[in-house]
Amino acid sequence: MDKIISIENLTKSFGGIKAVDDVSFFVKKSEIKALIGPNGAGKTTLFNVITKLYSKDKGRVLFMNKDMEPYKPHNLIEIGISRTFQNIQLVDEMDILENVMLGCHTNTKTNMIDAFLHLPKNKKEEKKAAENALEILKFLKIDDISDKYPSEIPFGYKRLVEIARALCIKPVMLLLDEPAAGLNESETNRLLKTIFRIWEQGVSILLIEHDMNLVMNCSHSIVVMDNGKKIAEGPPSYIQNNKEVLKAYFGK
Ligand SMILES: Nc1ncnc2c1ncn2[C@@H]1O[C@H](COP(=O)(O)OP(=O)(O)OP(=O)(O)O)[C@@H](O)[C@H]1O
Ligand SMILES: [Mg+2]
């Protein structure tokens, strides 16, 4: 079986808190895998370790069977890993097209102003980046807002713009951190369709999400974390009725 990414015994502590505690699982190629768990379970920390924003304490991450240890954050663009952030990070002073273009040069920087400072100064390169960004906005069916500013578009669109930015590098693996947070029902339905369309392009997806409808409807397999630990893993039908999972969500 082809694995795109393997997390092996990953551990990350902050002071006395084991945010990620000996977690192992893998994502198969062309799979949509969900990572769920109550607030503070360690989901975002796991993303931050994978994308090199945080160093790990123990364990390893293999991407296409290669240990990611030597990689730096900027190497992720080259190997094709991209992500979105839980908190929307659009630069208010830039229009949507320019915001998406930021993704061509960075896909892991939490600080988009920093990304802005590293935009190419070369006109030819900039034109290519603009064409690429517009193509992605078209793919996501939001090219009608390309010249708008973040303050002028609805919240649901902002999440899609973040996804557009992550798609700029044509990733093979996309990490989405709570893409449905703050969306209404129709925006969430649109997001579901969007996730499927990205997946149809051959992109493997790891999705952190609290919206259980979305998770159950789009993932092939689910990993559940609680207090830093993996407590369950399996297809949606199994996770829905798993006692440990129900206890983690409702038992406290
Ligand atoms: N940079 C940090 N410094 C100190 N503690 C942190 C840091 N990042 C995360 N933590 C702690 O690690 C634990 C896991 O947090 P994390 O953000 O990974 O959870 P999460 O599963 O993403 O939660 P949520 O669903 O609320 O986003 C929490 O106790 C959190 O307070
Ligand atoms: Mg989180």
Side-chain angles (χ1 to χ4, degrees):
M1 173 221 319
D2 266 354
K3 298 172 189 172
I4 188 139
I5 200 162
S6 292
I7 316 295
E8 296 183 352
N9 308 104
L10 206 66
T11 300
K12 173 71 186 175
S13 301
F14 298 105
I17 301 168
K18 276 197 172 175
V20 177
D21 189 359
D22 199 24
V23 170
S24 301
F25 68 90
F26 57 83
V27 181
K28 288 191 268 185
K29 271 187 187 157
S30 305
E31 177 179 48
I32 301 177
K33 186 139 196 161
L35 177 57
I36 68 169
N39 293 119
K43 306 177 297 294
T44 298
T45 302
L46 193 114
F47 268 25
N48 287 341
V49 173
I50 293 174
T51 56
K52 300 279 173 170
L53 292 177
Y54 295 163
S55 59
K56 60 184 164 51
D57 298 336
K58 281 193 211 136
R60 54 179 200 163
V61 182
L62 302 181
F63 184 68
M64 308 253 214
N65 293 320
K66 233 178 129 181
D67 195 334
M68 287 183 68
E69 179 67 25
Y71 296 144
K72 300 274 176 273
H74 66 267
N75 294 126
L76 300 191
I77 293 182
E78 294 141 34
I79 63 172
I81 298 182
S82 202
R83 71 171 290 178
T84 63
F85 292 91
Q86 192 167 345
N87 304 314
I88 289 184
Q89 304 250 353
L90 300 182
V91 181
D92 291 335
E93 294 74 21
M94 297 171 86
D95 70 19
I96 297 306
L97 189 76
E98 289 167 329
N99 264 285
V100 174
M101 282 165 68
L102 289 176
C104 303
H105 317 287
T106 177
N107 63 9
T108 54
K109 280 199 176 73
T110 43
N111 184 351
M112 289 301 157
I113 299 287
D114 188 32
F116 172 67
L117 296 174
H118 290 91
L119 273 181
K121 303 289 175 262
N122 177 323
K123 280 263 174 290
K124 204 167 146 195
E125 210 182 313
E126 204 177 292
K127 189 167 171 253
K128 214 172 131 203
E131 282 167 7
N132 179 34
L134 189 62
E135 193 187 305
I136 288 155
L137 286 172
K138 278 185 185 152
F139 172 72
L140 295 182
K141 302 177 179 162
I142 51 170
D143 50 309
D144 54 321
I145 57 158
S146 65
D147 60 352
K148 297 256 188 296
Y149 283 80
S151 64
E152 299 172 316
I153 64 169
F155 188 79
Y157 274 69
K158 293 186 187 179
R159 290 260 177 224
L160 293 174
V161 173
E162 288 255 309
I163 294 175
R165 182 159 61 201
L167 292 178
C168 254
I169 63 144
K170 311 230 180 315
V172 288
M173 164 118 234
L174 180 61
L175 308 174
L176 298 170
D177 195 347
E178 297 198 28
L183 300 193
N184 63 33
E185 203 180 329
S186 80
E187 287 169 337
T188 306
N189 284 334
R190 179 176 184 162
L191 174 70
L192 177 69
K193 286 185 197 138
T194 303
I195 291 174
F196 275 130
R197 291 188 57 235
I198 295 166
W199 169 74
E200 278 167 4
Q201 302 290 308
V203 181
S204 307
I205 296 171
L206 183 58
L207 164 78
I208 296 178
E209 194 39 70
H210 284 295
D211 184 318
M212 284 307 134
N213 257 331
L214 181 74
V215 167
M216 297 300 163
N217 282 323
C218 85
S219 44
H220 302 109
S221 164
I222 301 171
V223 169
V224 190
M225 284 178 71
D226 186 29
N227 277 323
K229 288 192 163 45
K230 178 174 108 173
I231 58 162
E233 182 173 9
S237 56
Y238 169 77
I239 294 299
Q240 261 167 337
N241 301 306
N242 183 287
K243 277 202 183 109
E244 284 295 313
V245 177
L246 294 173
K247 206 170 101 194
Y249 274 96
F250 305 111
K252 293 183 196 165

